[in-house]
Amino acid sequence: MTMGISLSAGKHTASTTASRRRRQVRGRKRIFGSPDRPRLVVTRSARHILVQVVDDVAGVTLASASTMEADLRGTDGDKSAKAKRVGELVAERAKAKGVGAVVFDRAGNKYHGRLAALADGARSGGLDF
């Protein structure tokens, strides 16, 4: 079972965005979330970071966390520190749902900076990937 990501939706997007979308499609061919090992998908913007634990077979989101939540908006620190806190929070929520192991989907972004901090936070929270 494959997921379809449309590349034509962003016909007039910037070259960096189009390149990231191509990398995302290449990675999504191999990454698939199952009920025993769901997909931990990261959405990153210039200001915020959003994480979801998704079961692709059932098509449901099991847990999510974001820097847009009220308790995380007020925290001090740089964006990497907030990303680490988001990782710990999503790990805590996933563990409450009975998820111990996930597949990390970086969505075409480099494993660097905020993404690496988020992954470290999720691992320290108890998620295995």
Side-chain angles (χ1 to χ4, degrees):
M1 184 174 181
T2 61
M3 292 184 59
I5 299 174
S6 173
L7 290 176
S8 63
K11 193 174 2 178
H12 300 288
T13 57
S15 62
T16 55
T17 306
S19 297
R20 189 190 67 79
R21 292 289 297 262
R22 281 194 299 274
R23 288 191 303 270
Q24 182 179 10
V25 169
R26 273 201 313 264
R28 195 66 58 83
K29 288 179 197 173
R30 296 178 300 248
I31 299 172
F32 190 76
S34 62
D36 57 332
R37 199 172 166 98
R39 183 168 51 103
L40 180 76
V41 60
V42 179
T43 305
R44 187 183 68 89
S45 72
R47 180 178 265 181
H48 294 289
I49 195 158
L50 169 81
V51 185
Q52 294 178 321
V53 178
V54 177
D55 177 8
D56 288 324
V57 175
V60 295
T61 300
L62 304 172
S64 67
S66 169
T67 55
M68 294 180 275
E69 296 176 10
D71 56 339
L72 288 178
R73 274 187 181 267
T75 58
D76 290 334
D78 59 350
K79 291 186 276 189
S80 293
K82 289 182 181 182
K84 184 172 177 125
R85 178 67 188 121
V86 168
E88 294 167 353
L89 193 60
V90 77
E92 174 186 319
R93 292 176 182 172
K95 295 293 261 183
K97 295 278 186 165
V99 175
V102 295
V103 179
F104 191 66
D105 181 7
R106 56 187 177 86
N109 296 304
K110 288 183 181 179
Y111 186 83
H112 177 75
R114 286 190 280 162
L115 254 65
L118 183 131
D120 291 341
R123 283 189 189 105
S124 68
L127 284 182
D128 182 30
F129 60 94

